Amino acid sequence: MADLRQEIDRVARTDAKVLITGESGTGKEVVARQVYALGNRFGRPFVAVNCAGLPETLLESELFGHVRGSFTGAYRDKPGKLEVADEGTIFLDEIGEMTLRMQGLLLRFLETGEIQKVGADRTGSRVDVRTVAATNRDLRQMIAQGQFREDLFYRLNVIHLMVPALRERREDIPALAEHFMGRLSGRAEAGGARTIARDAIDLLSNYHWPGNVRELQNVIERMVVRARGEVIGAEEVPHEVRAAQKTGVPPQRERRRTVADDLYERITNERQSFWTTVYPLFMQREITRSAVRDVVRRGLQDARGNYKIVARMFNMEGEDYKRFLNFLRKHHCQPSFKEFR
Ligand SMILES: Nc1ncnc2c1ncn2[C@@H]1O[C@H](COP(=O)(O)OP(=O)(O)OP(=O)(O)O)[C@@H](O)[C@H]1O
Ligand SMILES: [Mg+2]
């Protein structure tokens, strides 16, 4: 997460459009607000629109506004959120849920900055907003399936921030747990609980968190409410978190195919090279460091921990072995060695 934090800091100072992706509950909205809070438009409006929550016509009016009489119930002119956000930031949440028609309207706005209200016969005012969009969907896949406009995708995706799943940054779990504890422990319903014991933290750190930070927050809340003493112990960790530990791996239904699985298959089955598959995607920030690490980890498992064999399995030339190791070292993509002894 240290990387992401730096990246947010850098990105916030620019005025570029940002697309935030990540699984549900990873903190995309938190990131969007940080981009705003650290940027030059701080102090100007930050207006969030959930593109999933509303039927198309209402979303259109929500974004662009409407004129009086344009539909039943439109008793007066109403400004849209884009207008309200003028000079500030518009946060388009769940952008992947927009219909194709809405995508077209949004694209037209992004190209011209002009707002056409529902029911108005000509375009109205121009506004100047920074757009930050977020989604948990795979927009590239949606493009391939004709569900998302490619031109809109490239417009929104000037800077891409990926928020990793919580299980890919377990090192953040203790601090997050403490943070949520701190926020709750002052409240009346919290009883007297103040801290979490080490073994309880360990259980939390080992769980796979399909619901990510939101799930962690809920679990802490439940533990705090039920706690009997000042210290929350391992026995107070909810059953599903403890149950997942014994098997070590997440239950089958929760294990989804990952990018790393796909890449590993392309390398091993289709005999493509690491340099033409994983490397360019990583350098263009299309995949995370942890995905690279997962690919390498799978290689190491099959090669019993021998990097030379991995290099060969990854279809590299003999002399590329050093370059491979340097790459992994430089970008911190080496899986922990303990796993392969
Ligand atoms: N770094 C963090 N520090 C504190 N709280 C966090 C952090 N990241 C996420 N949260 C909390 O976790 C919850 C989920 O975060 P958020 O709503 O930003 O996720 P999301 O990625 O937008 O999820 P969804 O895809 O379901 O909309 C929120 O309650 C948020 O406050
Ligand atoms: Mg969200």
Side-chain angles (χ1 to χ4, degrees):
M1 276 304 260
D3 296 348
L4 182 62
R5 243 168 260 139
Q6 273 178 13
E7 187 72 6
I8 292 169
D9 205 40
R10 198 180 61 75
V11 163
R13 288 169 219 279
T14 73
D15 206 40
K17 297 188 179 56
V18 181
L19 178 66
I20 304 168
T21 58
E23 288 177 19
S24 185
T26 46
K28 294 184 291 299
E29 181 159 355
V30 172
V31 169
R33 287 179 189 279
Q34 285 170 345
V35 167
Y36 164 69
L38 296 170
N40 301 329
R41 289 177 187 249
F42 182 67
R44 305 286 177 174
F46 176 91
V47 180
V49 179
N50 185 345
C51 305
L54 296 171
E56 185 182 76
T57 45
L58 284 185
L59 178 60
E60 183 181 351
S61 133
E62 178 96 346
L63 272 177
F64 299 104
H66 61 246
V67 296
R68 184 180 158 192
S70 55
F71 54 83
T72 321
Y75 298 118
R76 54 178 73 94
D77 286 13
K78 183 174 161 260
K81 292 215 162 154
L82 286 167
E83 210 172 324
V84 175
D86 193 17
E87 298 190 345
T89 304
I90 187 96
F91 174 47
L92 302 170
D93 202 3
E94 320 267 8
I95 190 88
E97 313 306 316
M98 257 190 191
T99 59
L100 283 165
R101 182 175 155 273
M102 272 308 294
Q103 292 173 29
L105 295 178
L106 177 62
L107 181 66
R108 190 181 63 194
F109 165 74
L110 294 175
E111 280 167 349
T112 62
E114 284 169 2
I115 288 186
Q116 174 143 24
K117 289 190 174 184
V118 176
D121 37 21
R122 54 199 159 75
T123 48
S125 49
R126 257 171 196 283
V127 298
D128 162 38
V129 294
R130 178 185 200 179
T131 52
V132 176
T135 183
N136 55 17
R137 306 270 298 253
D138 180 347
L139 293 183
R140 281 181 190 282
Q141 193 184 344
M142 290 183 71
I143 292 170
Q145 294 166 345
Q147 295 166 352
F148 202 85
R149 292 180 65 131
E150 190 168 19
D151 42 10
L152 178 60
F153 174 74
Y154 284 112
R155 264 228 179 236
L156 294 169
N157 188 30
V158 177
I159 293 178
H160 182 185
L161 293 177
M162 269 179 296
V163 190
L166 189 56
R167 80 190 82 83
E168 291 174 4
R169 48 175 161 120
R170 295 180 190 277
E171 64 278 10
D172 291 350
I173 291 174
L176 281 168
E178 293 293 339
H179 167 77
F180 294 134
M181 269 306 284
R183 271 205 338 212
L184 290 162
S185 58
R187 294 213 225 136
E189 69 268 27
R194 292 193 189 289
T195 56
I196 310 180
R198 186 68 242 174
D199 51 355
I201 290 275
D202 287 344
L203 289 174
L204 298 176
S205 299
N206 285 327
Y207 181 55
H208 57 287
W209 300 109
N212 293 295
V213 182
R214 181 177 295 116
E215 187 185 5
L216 174 62
Q217 189 176 350
N218 292 341
V219 163
I220 302 284
E221 230 169 84
R222 268 156 64 198
M223 296 199 310
V224 165
V225 170
R226 291 186 197 160
R228 303 224 184 78
E230 256 192 35
V231 182
I232 294 178
E235 64 290 349
E236 283 165 285
V237 172
H239 175 72
E240 78 269 13
V241 175
R242 271 181 295 153
Q245 316 266 324
K246 293 185 201 108
T247 53
V249 286
Q252 203 58 46
R253 65 190 155 77
E254 236 120 45
R255 170 84 166 84
R256 275 195 264 145
R257 263 191 88 70
T258 61
V259 188
D261 293 334
D262 282 343
L263 288 168
Y264 191 71
E265 254 169 43
R266 275 164 62 188
I267 292 175
T268 50
N269 298 347
E270 299 168 30
R271 304 201 55 76
Q272 297 186 23
S273 156
F274 178 86
W275 302 118
T276 58
T277 50
V278 177
Y279 179 76
L281 287 177
F282 178 70
M283 297 314 273
Q284 290 156 24
R285 321 191 94 268
E286 297 272 328
I287 59 172
T288 60
R289 160 172 308 138
S290 114
V292 178
R293 211 179 274 146
D294 285 346
V295 174
V296 176
R297 180 181 293 118
R298 290 197 52 180
L300 281 169
Q301 276 160 358
D302 289 347
R304 295 168 191 259
N306 185 328
Y307 273 99
K308 263 212 166 114
I309 297 178
V310 174
R312 225 183 304 141
M313 281 170 34
F314 285 6
N315 305 307
M316 295 181 197
E317 305 294 328
E319 60 269 24
D320 274 0
Y321 169 64
K322 275 226 172 84
R323 180 180 165 214
F324 179 50
L325 287 191
N326 284 336
F327 165 82
L328 296 179
R329 213 172 288 135
K330 179 166 167 210
H331 296 283
H332 306 285
C333 292
Q334 289 159 307
S336 140
F337 218 81
K338 274 183 285 185
E339 299 175 45
F340 308 102
R341 273 204 297 244

